[in-house]
Amino acid sequence: MGQGTEFGLVDLEEVDTPGDEWEEIDVSDTEADRIARKRDREFEQFEERIKDADQFKVEQSVFDDATFAALYKLVQDGYVEAFGGPLSTGKEANVYHALGDDREVAVKIYRINASNFRQMRDYLEGDPRFEGLGGQKKDVVLAWTKKELANLRRAQAAGVRVPEPLATERNVLVMEYIGNAEGRAKRLGEVHIENPQTAYEVMREYMRRLYSAGLIHGDLSEYNVVFDENEGQLVLIDLGQAVTVHHPNSREFLERDCRNVAGFFSRQGLEVAEDDLLEFVTSPEPDPSGE
């Protein structure tokens, strides 16, 4: 990063101040499930094209028919026009570069057979949006996908720079692509920071804004923050596991976030205390936790 980078904050005057109301999230069958059951000729041809594409060949074992149907529906709706290569791969999901109607997008595909299924449940249980969620693996992954969409919207409304969420269908999430012609935006842990003090101040303000909006990231570190060179801003990513302040483990998750962030910036040469960061984050007015 160049000298003098300011890591600009989103202007709070341009966003809505969210309350702590939480919508119920429906995990019943989607249009993709109905398309998969119907399996007309156009869908079957689309599925074969995707299966033959180089970037998807290794994933055939983890994509069920309804996942292909979800991609098909998103193409039909105009959110995706052409698929590119993978941006990242993980135990929970793969993220692909794609072309949307008039912009580049990132397509995140959660694995129905996610290896850390039980860990997903730990983040969902206790979230008021998912009361009564069943124990089926499919339901948990679908809930997780919709949870990330809701969390991104909530963070964006609070003035936190995140990838703009565009659409979701079953276990597929389409969102803004953060990057340039050279590739995806680099994570904070992958770059040399010329101005760590300013970067830290932006990070702690984003954490405070999330908390004020009733959210805790839950897995915040230098690997879940990227630098958008086009805008000169830090962008928080991977909000699928973010929980509300009323989650039974929310304090534990927040303390871990503070420990990770304070530790990273301490290694950049700043005098950052985990307790001071925690106090800053949890002191908005009014306090959404009700404490």
Side-chain angles (χ1 to χ4, degrees), residues 79-212:
Y79 290 106
V80 179
E81 289 190 354
F83 290 96
L87 296 171
S88 65
T89 58
K91 294 179 180 179
E92 294 176 0
N94 284 7
V95 183
Y96 296 92
H97 190 200
L99 180 65
D101 184 24
D102 59 354
R103 64 195 297 184
E104 293 176 278
V105 297
V107 179
K108 190 170 190 175
I109 305 176
Y110 277 100
R111 303 166 185 265
I112 294 299
N113 295 317
S115 60
N116 53 356
F117 164 74
R118 289 185 177 84
Q119 185 178 359
M120 281 184 168
R121 285 205 61 91
D122 291 342
Y123 284 95
L124 291 172
E125 290 177 347
D127 189 319
R129 296 170 291 178
F130 298 94
E131 292 180 359
L133 180 67
Q136 290 190 7
K137 188 172 290 189
K138 185 201 81 168
D139 290 343
V140 171
V141 175
L142 266 59
W144 190 270
T145 309
K146 291 190 174 183
K147 178 172 181 265
E148 180 157 18
L149 179 76
N151 288 342
L152 287 170
R153 286 174 173 168
R154 178 61 58 123
Q156 190 176 47
V160 177
R161 182 67 174 97
V162 296
E164 179 187 356
L166 300 174
T168 185
E169 184 66 44
R170 201 172 181 268
N171 57 317
V172 181
L173 172 64
V174 182
M175 55 191 161
E176 173 191 6
Y177 168 70
I178 308 294
N180 53 34
E182 297 178 359
R184 65 164 177 82
K186 293 189 180 300
R187 293 177 171 86
L188 201 57
E190 297 175 328
V191 297
H192 172 67
I193 303 175
E194 296 270 352
N195 193 345
Q197 181 64 43
T198 304
Y200 170 67
E201 289 172 2
V202 171
M203 280 289 293
R204 71 173 191 167
E205 177 62 24
Y206 278 171
M207 293 174 70
R208 189 179 196 177
R209 290 182 185 183
L210 276 182
Y211 184 84
S212 182

Side-chain angles (χ1 to χ4, degrees), residues 60-71:
Q60 290 185 35
S61 62
V62 296
F63 287 1
D64 60 4
D65 285 343
T67 299
F68 288 113
L71 295 171

Side-chain angles (χ1 to χ4, degrees), residues 66-79:
T67 299
F68 288 113
L71 295 171
Y72 177 70
K73 179 69 166 54
L74 290 164
V75 169
Q76 283 187 320
D77 291 345
Y79 290 106

Side-chain angles (χ1 to χ4, degrees), residues 199-208 211 220 251 254-266 271-284:
Y200 170 67
E201 289 172 2
V202 171
M203 280 289 293
R204 71 173 191 167
E205 177 62 24
Y206 278 171
M207 293 174 70
R208 189 179 196 177
Y211 184 84
L220 192 58
R251 186 73 176 191
L254 179 58
E255 289 175 353
R256 184 175 63 195
D257 284 353
C258 289
R259 184 162 56 251
N260 289 341
V261 171
F264 173 74
F265 284 101
S266 293
E271 293 185 7
V272 179
E274 175 187 335
D275 291 343
D276 291 343
L277 176 57
L278 181 63
E279 182 179 358
F280 178 86
V281 171
T282 57
S283 59

Side-chain angles (χ1 to χ4, degrees), residues 121-128 131 216 243-254 291:
R121 285 205 61 91
D122 291 342
Y123 284 95
L124 291 172
E125 290 177 347
D127 189 319
E131 292 180 359
I216 292 164
V243 300
T244 76
V245 294
H246 303 116
H247 189 283
N249 298 325
S250 63
R251 186 73 176 191
E252 175 187 344
F253 294 155
L254 179 58
E291 295 178 355

